[in-house]
Amino acid sequence: MPVMTYVQAVGRGLWEEMERDPAVLMIGEDIGVYGGAFKVTDGFLAHFGRERVIDTPISESAIVGAAVGMSYLGLRPVCELQFIDFIACCFNQITNFVAKSHYRWGAPVPMVIRGPAGGGVHGGPFHSQNPEMYFVHTPGLKVVCPSSAYDAKGLIKAAVRDNNPVLFFEHKFLYRRVKEEVPEDDYIVPLGQAAVRREGRDLTLVTYAAMVQVCLDAAEQLEKEDGLACEVIDLRTLLPLDKETILSSLRKTNKLLVVHEDTRTGGIAGEIAAMVMEEAFDQLDGPLMRVTSLDTPVPYSPPLEEYFLPNAAKVVKAARDLARY
Amino acid sequence: MPVNVVMPQMGESIFEGTVTKWLKKIGEKVERDEPLFEISTDKVDAEIPAPSAGVLKEIKVKEGETVEINTIVAILDDGGAPTSPETSATEAAAAPKAEAAKPATAPPPPAPAARPAAAPLPPAAIGGELTFDPAKLRELGIRTSPLVRRLAKENGVDLRQLTGTGAGGRVTKQDIQATIAKGAPAYAEASAGLPAAAGAPAGKPAAVELGLAVPRERLYFGRYQVEPMSAMRRSIAEHMVASKRTSAHVYSVDEVDMTRIAQLRAQHKGEFERKNGAKLTFMPFFIRACVDALRAFPTVNSSVDGTNVVLHQDINIGVAVALDWGLIVPVIKRADEMNFLGLQRAVTDLATRARTKKLKPEEVQHSTFSITNPGVFGGLMGLPVINQPNVAILGMGTIEKRPVVIDDAIAIRSMVYLTLSYDHRVVDGATAHQFMGRVKKTLQEWQEPIL
């Protein structure tokens, strides 16, 4: 099995889908001749041609707007946003057209909007954000956040094949740091299914994307130093949310800590907390707790960014408090 | 993970129950709180819900068998992973701590007969009702979590007796699991906190031997069939014999003109039902009249404890409900605090739930006075046996039109015979007749609006 980085796995998945289905095409800034800012589509232009690998001017609104039109006509466009922070520029296209077309006219919108998200790379306030919750709040979309190379390939393939619009948030901190064996087979990872990354009985850590490794590191330390067995759940898809995996873990551990890199207020942790209260209140043996980024823009200064982001030490501390509760 | 299903304690003085019916077969799936089996105890018949979702693995107590409370009657498999050895180790470590903290708790299910009447009183905090209500627990300074309260409720654990090992003395999942693992629900009977009754037998107070009045062989002759009594039948039999043996029964009969109330009812029953969704019956009129008379004559609202008379401050009216399979007396608590509509609703609700076996154990306890209605089956009058530990019971005969003399004229009026069976140990004839006079006056001169 070939060893691939996370970013290569995304590219590999897209390549396979373009080979499989002539309706799939790429559209974005610098994705053709240059091969993409992060080289996801390197070599695509030469192989698939200008008709299917379309370079655009710098206008996210135009990229997504054009893609919605293509999807109405039966194509399956994949939009690359060079940094997902600029998804704000096409917010209207996504929330009012992409998300609502099916609801208004029954028109399927089989398109993907993908791009690098997340901090930890000293990218500053415009190149480090986690804007996923704007879209988790928007009915009609699916929101995917892979944490491994294997999932990156399997989920991007599932996203391309889905008849609903899918927002695909790739974590740029993981792009080249995650390297693992990825099968060459044509496999998919279904949307809406979380994965249990580590089994445990004392408390459950629910997380996604770059925080999965942070939680696994924290769980390892808690096991060694405190004898605490933490279960780690990787959500993989935020919308639809895999409630059952969360609830079944809670029924075992009865304590829940949600960790996300997104800022605190309005993050997925609050939504999970409300869901747990509604559906499993009498399973709770302690308060639902969260470790998140602070409610500020992402700082540019490296020490400040480090202070801003969750890390294993912060998770360990919160987990200890919760375990002692 | 296997989950034990136990015979629940359906009331303070109940020590055993009979499994009357299994509602699920082995291998069948059951949801949490879905009825799993039916039981019959001294006080109520009830459907018992499953403590958790799962598959019924094993039935340990067959239909018809009677077992002590807390006996494991079945095992469910909840589909979860078996407890890992590490967990057991933590539980084992937590167990001695919890045990040391509450020396007053008896080991496994207390054998009722063995509890000596002069047992040392447990700490005062143990008295009162077993509670899982978060607000009440907070008042008692007991810190819990939603999970702990649920586990406590499902397993009958008295949270007041646990010492929490969590932050700030919080009772944790581990604490309660350790208690449950020991197999002994820590519920100390509330009655243990009350002063010991003078000369009253410990354990099952109402239980009496159902003896024979004649030699056994004189019972069996000719053609016959023998049927064992149901738990409820046996309970009624024991209760009635005990009552007759304990109380000095005396009976008073009075006649009441119900014409005014009959007219009122005929006139308003349509509107009453439309407005309130409840049928208008005669029962709330009688309850109201009794409540008023009980207030005026508090000895009728009492119990006897040896040479003490316990004058109840609450007026709780037991109303006998005939069932196809026996008889039960659900109780309208604090009937003196209800308005007319409230009384009618309570009567209808309790009777309906009695017939559908949905009564809770606490709803058939703590009556201070009872009413029975043999008239409903056409009886002219009945002389009921006192419902212990009350000292009086009112019997209503059938309400029918009879010729009566009013001011030297013969008139047709709706009449009823009321009877009062009372315990002459505390209620004398003078009180009983004044009580009845007051009931009669309230009914004949009914003033209270019913709409």
Side-chain angles (χ1 to χ4, degrees):
Chain A
M1 229 186 286
V3 172
M4 273 183 217
T5 61
Y6 179 107
V7 70
Q8 284 170 334
V10 175
R12 186 65 214 161
L14 289 169
W15 183 283
E16 286 176 16
E17 289 307 292
M18 287 192 69
E19 289 273 26
R20 188 186 58 79
D21 182 354
V24 178
L25 61 94
M26 304 289 136
I27 180 168
E29 296 157 14
D30 289 333
I31 62 166
V33 179
Y34 188 66
F38 290 89
K39 300 290 174 194
V40 172
T41 51
D42 202 14
F44 277 46
L45 180 64
H47 188 75
F48 296 106
R50 292 168 54 99
E51 299 281 293
R52 295 181 68 197
V53 183
I54 304 169
D55 269 326
T56 69
I58 304 181
S59 171
E60 285 75 14
S61 195
I63 295 168
V64 173
V68 183
M70 292 175 188
S71 73
Y72 291 164
L73 298 175
L75 297 175
R76 306 185 84 90
V78 177
C79 308
E80 176 174 305
L81 303 186
Q82 207 163 70
F83 283 87
I84 210 77
D85 307 66
F86 303 111
I87 201 166
C89 302
C90 46
F91 190 81
N92 178 47
Q93 292 291 349
I94 296 173
T95 57
N96 280 328
F97 295 91
V98 174
K100 293 186 175 71
S101 293
H102 181 68
Y103 179 77
R104 295 181 71 200
W105 315 307
V109 184
M111 62 184 282
V112 176
I113 299 168
R114 49 160 288 272
V121 294
H122 313 320
F126 300 121
H127 297 81
S128 304
Q129 297 175 74
N130 292 282
E132 53 267 20
M133 290 307 289
Y134 294 114
F135 304 100
V136 170
H137 187 64
T138 305
L141 301 174
K142 293 189 178 181
V143 176
V144 181
C145 301
S147 71
S148 71
Y150 178 93
D151 280 1
K153 178 180 159 183
L155 286 167
I156 193 72
K157 286 163 72 74
V160 170
R161 293 179 198 185
D162 203 288
N163 281 337
N164 299 284
V166 180
L167 304 198
F168 198 83
F169 293 82
E170 298 155 17
H171 203 292
K172 68 176 89 63
F173 182 85
L174 305 177
Y175 262 174
R176 295 181 216 289
R177 285 179 182 82
V178 170
K179 251 188 221 162
E180 62 183 347
E181 287 190 338
V182 175
E184 287 176 296
D185 320 351
D186 177 21
Y187 71 91
I188 64 156
V189 172
L191 305 187
Q193 277 185 21
V196 177
R197 297 297 184 202
R198 181 188 176 107
E199 299 219 6
R201 57 166 198 281
D202 293 322
L203 61 106
T204 301
L205 307 180
V206 174
T207 190
Y208 62 95
M211 291 300 120
V212 172
Q213 191 55 51
V214 168
C215 287
L216 288 170
D217 293 345
E220 188 64 33
Q221 190 186 339
L222 287 161
E223 175 97 66
K224 274 206 194 101
E225 296 176 9
D226 302 62
L228 284 174
C230 298
E231 184 140 306
V232 177
I233 293 178
D234 177 1
L235 291 172
R236 301 203 284 201
T237 304
L238 301 192
L239 190 67
L241 185 66
D242 182 356
K243 294 180 189 179
E244 196 38 52
T245 297
I246 299 170
L247 293 173
S248 72
S249 181
L250 178 67
R251 284 193 279 269
K252 179 165 65 165
T253 64
N254 309 105
K255 286 182 175 175
L256 207 60
L257 174 64
V258 184
V259 180
H260 59 64
E261 189 188 309
D262 187 10
T263 49
R264 195 174 188 80
T265 303
I268 193 80
E271 186 54 38
I272 292 172
M275 183 275 287
V276 165
M277 295 294 167
E278 285 167 349
E279 301 195 16
F281 182 68
D282 66 4
Q283 291 291 347
L284 285 170
D285 195 33
L288 187 140
M289 292 173 72
R290 48 189 175 159
V291 174
T292 67
S293 287
L294 306 179
D295 276 335
T296 71
V298 186
Y300 190 40
S301 146
L304 285 184
E305 185 179 23
E306 204 173 298
Y307 181 74
F308 164 89
L309 291 172
N311 56 35
K314 292 180 189 178
V315 174
V316 165
K317 184 181 177 307
R320 281 180 180 150
D321 287 348
L322 183 53
R324 259 199 306 269
Y325 186 84
Chain B
M1 219 161 62
V3 176
N4 291 339
V5 181
V6 299
M7 176 61 69
Q9 177 159 22
M10 298 298 283
E12 285 166 16
S13 54
I14 302 221
F15 301 100
E16 59 180 34
T18 307
V19 174
T20 48
K21 193 172 181 193
W22 282 101
L23 303 171
K24 295 280 168 190
K25 291 193 200 73
I26 289 178
E28 231 180 309
K29 269 181 82 171
V30 61
E31 292 302 317
R32 189 176 142 218
D33 293 336
E34 193 185 349
L36 181 61
F37 59 110
E38 285 182 5
I39 64 161
S40 178
T41 70
D42 289 354
K43 290 217 169 109
V44 280
D45 288 352
E47 280 180 348
I48 306 303
S52 67
V55 173
L56 182 55
K57 272 272 176 256
E58 191 182 346
I59 290 179
K60 289 185 163 267
V61 175
K62 289 198 281 288
E63 288 178 7
E65 275 184 53
T66 302
V67 291
E68 278 187 21
I69 57 158
N70 298 320
T71 306
I72 296 171
V73 299
I75 294 174
L76 291 179
D77 187 344
D78 71 359
T83 323
S84 61
E86 296 95 298
T87 314
S88 314
T90 352
E91 280 166 6
K97 229 192 268 173
E99 201 157 38
K102 48 182 186 60
T105 313
R115 182 183 295 131
L121 292 182
I126 306 300
E129 303 254 329
L130 184 61
T131 183
F132 306 105
D133 178 67
K136 281 194 191 127
L137 289 169
R138 217 176 301 125
E139 267 170 38
L140 294 167
I142 298 161
R143 312 182 74 187
T144 58
S145 67
L147 174 82
V148 163
R149 289 192 294 276
R150 176 168 66 76
L151 291 177
K153 200 167 177 180
E154 285 171 3
N155 292 280
V157 176
D158 189 349
L159 288 166
R160 295 167 299 179
Q161 299 196 44
L162 294 193
T163 305
T165 60
R170 188 175 297 277
V171 178
T172 65
K173 170 178 154 187
Q174 284 73 27
D175 295 335
I176 197 146
Q177 281 177 338
T179 307
I180 295 163
K182 281 187 298 174
Y187 176 31
E189 248 196 284
S191 60
L194 301 173
K204 239 173 158 179
V208 287
E209 285 297 314
L210 291 173
L212 283 167
V214 294
R216 273 189 91 222
E217 55 273 20
R218 280 172 58 190
L219 296 180
Y220 298 98
F221 51 83
R223 298 187 303 165
Y224 57 82
Q225 189 184 336
V226 181
E227 278 182 2
M229 282 185 182
S230 67
M232 178 182 269
R233 186 78 260 144
R234 202 185 77 189
S235 168
I236 295 170
E238 289 173 354
H239 196 98
M240 292 303 109
V241 171
S243 182
K244 274 286 201 178
R245 187 178 291 171
T246 309
S247 294
H249 281 68
V250 186
Y251 310 95
S252 291
V253 182
D254 217 324
E255 194 180 19
V256 178
D257 185 342
M258 293 291 288
T259 310
R260 188 186 172 91
I261 286 176
Q263 281 169 351
L264 207 61
R265 178 169 170 267
Q267 191 185 337
H268 293 306
K269 69 179 176 189
E271 196 185 347
F272 187 90
E273 194 173 344
R274 242 191 339 275
K275 263 174 112 168
N276 306 314
K279 278 211 166 93
L280 178 60
T281 65
F282 283 107
M283 188 53 93
F285 294 94
F286 287 97
I287 296 173
R288 175 59 92 227
C290 288
V291 164
D292 170 71
L294 289 166
R295 269 211 205 103
F297 302 98
T299 45
V300 186
N301 195 54
S302 70
S303 298
V304 182
D305 180 7
T307 52
N308 288 336
V309 179
V310 183
L311 292 157
H312 297 292
Q313 310 274 316
D314 293 341
I315 296 183
N316 299 340
I317 307 289
V319 178
V321 176
L323 306 169
D324 291 342
W325 59 94
L327 170 74
I328 197 159
V329 189
V331 180
I332 301 174
K333 300 274 166 69
R334 300 195 174 175
D336 53 332
E337 294 174 9
M338 289 185 182
N339 67 7
F340 187 87
L341 173 62
L343 288 175
Q344 177 66 72
R345 279 203 204 284
V347 168
T348 311
D349 169 55
L350 290 170
T352 309
R353 286 191 293 117
R355 293 187 182 107
T356 51
K357 299 190 176 183
K358 296 277 192 291
L359 284 179
K360 297 185 199 112
E362 62 268 23
E363 289 174 324
V364 296
Q365 291 173 13
H366 303 155
S367 68
T368 60
F369 180 84
S370 301
I371 300 181
T372 182
N373 183 8
V376 85
F377 302 106
L380 184 65
M381 67 170 83
L383 297 171
V385 176
I386 295 168
N387 181 29
Q388 298 296 327
N390 303 165
V391 295
I393 182 167
L394 184 90
M396 302 155 51
T398 191
I399 299 170
E400 59 185 3
K401 288 188 175 167
R402 281 198 282 271
V404 292
V405 177
I406 300 174
D407 297 337
D408 288 341
I410 292 175
I412 299 169
R413 309 289 290 178
S414 290
M415 301 301 292
V416 69
Y417 287 112
L418 293 188
T419 59
L420 186 75
S421 308
Y422 58 95
D423 188 341
H424 210 333
R425 287 182 300 171
V426 286
V427 182
D428 295 333
T431 310
H433 285 281
Q434 287 177 71
F435 176 91
M436 289 291 268
R438 178 124 185 170
V439 169
K440 179 174 177 169
K441 188 168 185 299
T442 308
L443 292 171
Q444 291 193 161
E445 298 167 16
W446 187 266
Q447 295 295 338
E448 191 181 338
I450 57 174
L451 280 173

